[in-house]
Amino acid sequence: MQSNSVTLMGQVCSEDTRTGVLVETLKRSFLNNLFYVQGKFPGIATQNDYYMALAYMVRDRLLHRWIGTAATYTKQQTRTVAYLSAEFLMGPQLGNNLINLGIYDQVNQAMSELGFNLEDLLEQEEEPGLGNGGLGRLAACYLDSMATLGLASIGYGIRYEFGIFDQDIRDGWQVERTDKWLRYGNPWEVERPEWSVEVKLGGHTEHYVDQTGRGRVNWIPYEVVQGIPFDTPILGYRTNTANTLRLWTAQASESFDFDAFNSGDYLGAVYEKMASENVSKVLYPNDDVSQGKRLRLTQQIFFVSCSLQDMFRIMKAQEIPLHQFADKFAIQLNDTHPAIAVAELMRLLIDEHSMDWDEAWGITQRTLSYTNHTLLPEALERWPIDLFGNLLPRHLEIIYEINHRFLDEVRIKFPDDEDRISRLSLIDESGERYVRMAHLACVGSHAINGVAELHTQLLKQDVLRDFAEMYPHKFSNKTNGVTPRRFIALSNPPLTQLITDKIGDRWLTQLEDLRQLEPYAEDLEFQHQWQSIKRATKASLAAYIYKQNGISVNPDSMFGIQAKRIHEYKRQHLNVLYIITLYNRLKANPDLDITPRTFLFGGKAAPGYFMAKLMIKLINSVGEVVNRDPEVRDRLKVVFLKDYNVKLAQRVYPAADLSEQISTAGKEASGTGNMKFALNGALTIGTLDGANIEIREEVGAENFFLFGLTAQEVYDLRGQGYCPRDYYDSNPELKLALDRINSGFFSHGDTDLFKPLTDSLIYHDPFFLLADYQSYIEAQERVSQLYQDQSAWTRMAILNVARMGKFSSDRSIQDYCDEIWHVDPVKIELSNNLEEFF
Ligand code: T68
């Protein structure tokens, strides 16, 4: 240990190799790890060894804060937020931890003095893709904000061995490959086998009366699975708070009989063991329809039960009596995937801790709150009763009892309204019987929220209308936000520097400070700096595209980007119709003066969603023709970026001129990509959907390219009997675009290939593309016009950034704290004297 000491965040630290932040200390620590953790020397070390050595160096500095945080929470018995989510789309950890520790520059220097390029080492990290898209990424942003705000919180989820699939493109089609993210080890997690718990599955229940005359239930499971927690520290931005993400891995239970010699069936026993380990094997990639798969429900009860039991363990360790459960924990349910928590918490309190029903129900309702993330009725989770009862016989009984009591309540509030009873029931009995998970979440929670103003409003008047009438006080809006640390500071260092030079660095935690940029919007010198940063990030994305796709794109063309999951309601194909329209115009008039554009797409399609996969094929097919046509003279380029993930997203947001947020109004709950693009200085072309509405409100209608029907107009048009064919017949450019697709022009003469898509549009068009087409084209014309005036464009981009302060996830989390969780920040003092812990 060195004797010199430095000041770090107001704390005096001795310069230990495991905690110190001087360049020399960092270098020594890195080399120590290379030798003594990786067991390698430079002659044989791989790039991954170097990455690991660096990651462990950073991890030491995290653990220091993590331990201090845990010790403080334990001592103070802090009220804690438990964020339950089937998905956490964390993205790469190393860079973010460097930013939050505030040692990015020192580490950069240390690495370069050792002859390494930090960026290359960052690139080496395999990201944990434990989520599908927006919902999982939101959970990750919220963990960052909770730690940054100094709130005690634990994220609970599943440690999938295979995360979201890797996407390859072959012959224009999506091909899925397994994501083996754990292949080279994960330096960020710590296994905690001593806190393993057991989860019961299947079997049957036995009801009996105990000596005191109380009715009791014994659940005899068919199977028991063990959950082992793996903890990852979540450090806040320049604070000492390091919270925990606790993910559960499934293992065959030791207490359960897998012993070969008892049964004489060794292979059978090993097979059973493997079967229970399947529970945490793979993330379900669906983001559209609930599939009713047994394994998916098993995953849900698995991580929910593990997490609730873990909370009980924490209560016990801190000697807090169980009747104070709701004071100790605020549990947020991220969509209905953890909604089984309502029944599981009841079961644990009643069956395993002998609490009576009314007290247990009071605790359950006071503890739980539920966030809804979708307006698509087909995406609301429901489980066939047989499947449910077979896997969770005791939970089904509890749900029946909850339902029974709930419907009695409904009868009192709304007498003689049997229709309402069947609409509200936790059990859907309209055909095959189902358990409705959203209903369970609504009844069992004290707070229910949507994720943008419009979404919450539509929830109340449509999807959850009966619940809003039953429990109006439970409903509120919590507009989503994103973390400016990852999505500006880490992903866009030059812009971060430019902003900080003007207004100081407080904006990274007080995003409303960005307002102070407004006066510079007119400043030509500032505009110029702004433009050269945008130009440079575009050039770097262009280099990436050349490497990945072999397509050269011009960084001076306008980069319009649509990056998000591929889905009909998100309408990537509307964007394609515009591309084809521009192309048709150029073919008809080769000398037409147009604003050169590069159209970029990124996103995965659910493997079972045929239409979405066909949309990817369409994008690539149109690109193949347009990019090669000499007559286009490089004025149009179309690129599909394969394998869109957090790492790629961080490259993409900074390079966008135009952000495409073009979902059918009333379908996108919020969107969060819309926020990330705008924060990086892209202008938005968008509909009045989700958070677009609030973004437009903030940045000003004059600084937003609006088009399309409103949610109300879509609703009315549907009611009147929407006839997409009329639009096709009466709009020559639209007709030409669709006909071009149908003629086989983009498919080597195959006139059938895209028929499912074009037929769906012309004859059904459930997402109103044809109705919005003309308005979209006109908005795009305004975009092209404005881009010709680079100063006006830049001014608008600066104003957009200056007015985006509302969309920090810090603000969202503060809203949850004030209105749902009622938790306060806890100050963490950092001690460098490990003996103090004893
Ligand atoms: C998204 N939902 C919303 N779902 O679509 C988006 N679903 O508007 C919103 O901004 C975001 O949530 C955050 O609130 C999703 O991302 C899923 O990923 C998903 C996964 C499994 C099952 C259902």
Side-chain angles (χ1 to χ4, degrees):
M1 199 180 286
Q2 267 186 355
S3 58
N4 57 335
S5 58
V6 291
T7 304
L8 176 66
M9 290 179 229
Q11 306 277 332
V12 176
C13 300
S14 62
E15 194 59 12
D16 181 297
T17 51
R18 299 202 111 160
T19 55
V21 296
L22 296 178
V23 171
E24 284 312 310
T25 318
L26 295 170
K27 283 158 71 178
R28 200 170 57 250
S29 161
F30 172 82
L31 291 173
N32 272 343
N33 291 338
L34 184 64
F35 295 139
Y36 305 120
V37 180
Q38 291 306 104
K40 290 281 187 76
F41 59 90
I44 60 165
T46 63
Q47 188 74 354
N48 192 61
D49 290 321
Y50 295 128
Y51 161 75
M52 292 294 265
L54 179 55
Y56 280 115
M57 176 190 102
V58 172
R59 194 180 93 160
D60 281 340
R61 281 137 190 92
L62 293 180
L63 293 202
H64 181 209
R65 289 165 178 76
W66 200 18
I67 291 164
T69 304
T72 307
Y73 292 165
T74 305
K75 196 162 104 204
Q76 299 186 8
Q77 303 195 341
T78 314
R79 175 165 165 79
T80 301
V81 176
Y83 199 87
L84 263 61
S85 180
E87 306 189 0
F88 287 92
L89 189 44
M90 299 300 289
Q93 294 297 288
L94 177 55
N96 200 249
N97 283 327
L98 291 176
I99 294 279
N100 284 10
L101 280 166
I103 59 170
Y104 195 99
D105 293 338
Q106 294 92 308
V107 169
N108 197 4
Q109 191 187 332
M111 288 300 104
S112 89
E113 286 179 18
L114 289 170
F116 295 101
N117 179 335
L118 178 58
E119 299 227 337
D120 293 345
L121 293 174
L122 292 177
E123 199 47 44
Q124 184 64 32
E125 181 169 349
E126 184 103 42
E127 74 173 72
L130 309 187
N132 273 286
L135 173 149
R137 184 53 234 177
L138 186 77
C141 283
Y142 282 0
L143 294 185
D144 179 86
S145 283
M146 287 190 278
T148 298
L149 292 174
L151 304 166
S153 70
I154 313 185
Y156 281 112
I158 302 174
R159 182 174 174 273
Y160 301 104
E161 189 177 329
F162 300 104
I164 185 72
F165 62 87
D166 292 335
Q167 179 193 53
D168 218 340
I169 301 295
R170 277 190 225 143
D171 187 29
W173 293 97
Q174 166 174 298
V175 175
E176 300 92 21
R177 286 185 288 106
T178 50
D179 159 56
K180 303 196 185 97
W181 70 287
L182 288 167
R183 187 169 23 184
Y184 301 113
N186 172 9
W188 305 106
E189 64 186 9
V190 179
E191 184 173 358
R192 308 283 195 201
E194 67 279 19
W195 294 335
S196 295
V197 294
E198 297 199 325
V199 178
K200 298 194 261 190
L201 301 170
H204 64 278
T205 61
E206 287 172 358
H207 293 244
Y208 65 97
V209 177
D210 69 12
Q211 306 97 312
T212 68
R214 186 172 183 271
R216 311 207 51 120
V217 181
N218 196 9
W219 173 15
I220 296 120
Y222 169 76
E223 187 186 356
V224 175
V225 178
Q226 197 169 40
I228 302 173
F230 285 71
D231 288 356
T232 300
I234 306 292
L235 179 69
Y237 179 71
R238 304 203 174 180
T239 68
N240 292 326
T241 300
N243 289 326
T244 297
L245 170 62
R246 183 161 291 161
L247 301 180
W248 301 94
T249 284
Q251 241 192 26
S253 160
E254 280 164 28
S255 71
F256 213 65
D257 189 7
F258 288 113
D259 195 331
F261 303 103
N262 290 343
S263 61
D265 178 13
Y266 177 69
L267 289 179
V270 172
Y271 180 81
E272 296 248 313
K273 183 172 150 70
M274 273 164 41
S276 30
E277 293 176 359
N278 278 341
V279 172
S280 57
K281 203 47 97 184
V282 59
L283 166 76
Y284 273 83
N286 317 6
D287 65 347
D288 42 7
V289 194
S290 101
Q291 284 219 337
K293 287 279 190 295
R294 183 186 168 93
L295 182 59
R296 171 98 174 143
L297 183 59
T298 309
Q299 290 184 335
Q300 296 183 350
I301 186 62
F302 168 72
F303 94 92
V304 164
S305 181
C306 287
S307 308
L308 288 171
Q309 291 186 63
D310 194 55
M311 293 176 225
F312 280 56
R313 175 188 62 76
I314 292 169
M315 300 272 294
K316 194 168 171 200
Q318 296 183 8
E319 297 176 356
I320 304 172
L322 215 49
H323 67 88
Q324 288 174 19
F325 191 83
D327 305 311
K328 173 67 185 173
F329 289 105
I331 301 180
Q332 192 67 36
L333 306 176
N334 198 25
D335 215 291
T336 54
H337 318 141
I340 190 64
V342 175
E344 174 65 1
L345 183 52
M346 287 299 285
R347 189 191 68 80
L348 289 168
L349 291 171
I350 294 171
D351 292 358
E352 311 228 332
H353 293 89
S354 308
M355 198 177 273
D356 67 46
W357 181 281
D358 290 333
E359 186 179 11
W361 185 240
I363 288 174
T364 299
Q365 283 189 318
R366 274 189 293 132
T367 306
L368 300 177
S369 38
Y370 157 54
T371 304
N372 172 289
H373 295 267
T374 187
L375 288 161
L376 303 182
E378 66 270 26
L380 293 178
E381 280 194 305
R382 13 173 247 169
W383 295 103
I385 291 277
D386 289 348
L387 184 157
F388 195 101
N390 190 277
L391 185 71
L392 301 171
R394 179 57 184 143
H395 296 79
L396 188 57
E397 291 173 355
I398 291 172
I399 286 170
Y400 283 146
E401 181 64 24
I402 294 171
N403 199 33
H404 179 75
R405 292 168 183 244
F406 166 59
L407 294 181
D408 277 348
E409 229 182 282
V410 177
R411 281 189 192 94
I412 290 169
K413 188 153 175 174
F414 300 98
D416 308 315
D417 191 347
E418 278 310 304
D419 281 351
R420 186 183 297 269
I421 297 282
S422 64
R423 291 198 308 268
L424 276 167
S425 175
L426 304 191
I427 311 297
D428 179 349
E429 310 199 74
S430 54
E432 193 195 345
R433 296 168 75 223
Y434 292 96
V435 182
R436 296 162 157 162
M437 298 308 272
H439 293 211
L440 180 63
C442 285
V443 175
S445 302
H446 68 279
I448 302 164
N449 74 282
V451 290
E453 292 286 354
L454 174 70
H455 172 228
T456 302
Q457 195 188 312
L458 294 175
L459 278 183
K460 288 197 282 189
Q461 75 193 38
D462 193 23
V463 182
L464 298 176
R465 180 190 182 135
D466 291 309
F467 285 96
E469 286 172 7
M470 184 70 199
Y471 302 124
H473 58 280
K474 287 193 186 184
F475 282 77
S476 74
N477 175 247
K478 300 285 169 285
T479 297
N480 285 166
V482 302
T483 171
R485 273 76 65 180
R486 180 178 291 271
F487 291 107
I488 312 179
L490 177 62
S491 64
N492 201 342
L495 187 65
T496 304
Q497 192 60 53
L498 179 66
I499 295 173
T500 301
D501 287 346
K502 287 293 178 208
I503 67 171
D505 65 3
R506 209 185 73 137
W507 61 277
L508 281 160
T509 50
Q510 308 289 327
L511 202 61
E512 293 282 3
D513 272 15
L514 287 174
R515 287 252 173 222
Q516 295 163 25
L517 287 175
E518 275 197 30
Y520 299 102
E522 313 279 349
D523 180 334
L524 292 184
E525 166 70 20
F526 188 74
Q527 284 186 5
H528 205 77
Q529 294 171 321
W530 190 278
Q531 285 162 358
S532 63
I533 288 170
K534 187 58 88 181
R535 177 68 173 63
T537 52
K538 286 167 71 181
S540 127
L541 184 62
Y544 176 87
I545 292 168
Y546 189 72
K547 205 166 133 218
Q548 288 287 318
N549 299 52
I551 301 172
S552 73
V553 302
N554 177 4
D556 291 317
S557 65
M558 182 205 304
F559 280 20
I561 311 188
Q562 189 169 13
K564 51 181 79 238
R565 288 298 288 252
I566 311 294
H567 204 293
E568 287 163 282
Y569 87 77
K570 296 178 189 277
R571 302 200 295 192
Q572 282 89 356
H573 43 343
L574 179 58
N575 196 344
V576 175
L577 287 178
Y578 176 58
I579 298 172
I580 299 174
T581 300
L582 277 182
Y583 177 71
N584 288 342
R585 288 181 187 172
L586 284 178
K587 294 304 277 183
N589 180 1
D591 290 324
L592 192 69
D593 187 21
I594 67 161
T595 301
R597 288 199 187 218
T598 300
F599 292 87
L600 297 164
F601 295 85
K604 295 174 184 176
Y609 185 1
F610 170 72
M611 283 293 216
K613 292 178 127 176
L614 195 55
M615 285 162 69
I616 293 177
K617 174 68 176 167
L618 177 66
I619 293 166
N620 285 311
S621 300
V622 170
E624 222 179 279
V625 170
V626 170
N627 296 344
R628 283 214 214 118
D629 189 333
E631 235 171 6
V632 171
R633 281 186 265 127
D634 287 349
R635 284 169 293 177
L636 294 183
K637 283 279 162 74
V638 181
V639 176
F640 188 90
L641 295 162
K642 71 165 186 184
D643 203 29
Y644 185 66
N645 57 12
V646 179
K647 211 194 253 188
L648 181 52
Q650 289 172 199
R651 283 180 185 276
V652 160
Y653 297 125
D657 293 308
L658 184 67
S659 157
E660 299 270 354
Q661 306 300 336
I662 61 178
S663 53
T664 316
K667 295 292 175 187
E668 189 70 89
S670 161
T672 43
N674 47 4
M675 301 168 188
K676 295 164 198 166
F677 278 112
L679 277 165
N680 281 278
L683 299 184
T684 305
I685 183 167
T687 47
L688 286 176
D689 200 16
N692 294 354
I693 297 176
E694 290 157 75
I695 292 175
R696 178 168 171 269
E697 243 163 51
E698 292 292 306
V699 306
E702 68 286 9
N703 299 311
F704 186 104
F705 298 99
L706 180 69
F707 76 96
L709 300 173
T710 62
Q712 185 63 48
E713 287 165 346
V714 168
Y715 183 88
D716 293 343
L717 186 52
R718 192 184 293 114
Q720 291 155 20
Y722 170 51
C723 187
R725 172 102 216 193
D726 296 346
Y727 294 84
Y728 170 80
D729 287 332
S730 64
N731 188 325
E733 283 205 301
L734 171 59
K735 181 163 188 310
L736 191 59
L738 286 163
D739 289 350
R740 268 268 147 96
I741 301 175
N742 272 334
S743 72
F745 186 85
F746 300 111
S747 42
H748 308 281
D750 183 345
T751 52
D752 288 337
L753 182 61
F754 296 117
K755 263 244 170 284
L757 263 178
T758 51
D759 277 356
S760 164
L761 291 179
I762 298 169
Y763 302 109
H764 310 287
D765 196 16
F767 299 104
F768 297 81
L769 274 81
L770 302 206
D772 274 348
Y773 169 84
Q774 190 56 36
S775 167
Y776 181 54
I777 300 294
E778 286 163 17
Q780 288 285 20
E781 298 305 303
R782 299 199 297 277
V783 170
S784 289
Q785 276 290 319
L786 187 78
Y787 199 72
Q788 301 288 342
D789 181 348
Q790 276 295 297
S791 176
W793 182 279
T794 308
R795 177 183 164 278
M796 224 184 245
I798 297 168
L799 286 179
N800 260 262
V801 172
R803 296 172 181 175
M804 283 293 291
K806 170 175 172 185
F807 302 100
S808 169
S809 44
D810 300 343
R811 188 271 314 147
S812 310
I813 288 298
Q814 193 60 56
D815 290 350
Y816 279 94
C817 281
D818 295 344
E819 294 159 28
I820 298 182
W821 301 333
H822 308 292
V823 292
D824 298 311
V826 180
K827 191 163 171 50
I828 308 296
E829 306 285 351
L830 205 60
S831 162
N832 227 42
N833 180 4
L834 296 184
E835 278 150 35
E836 265 181 27
F837 288 100
F838 291 92

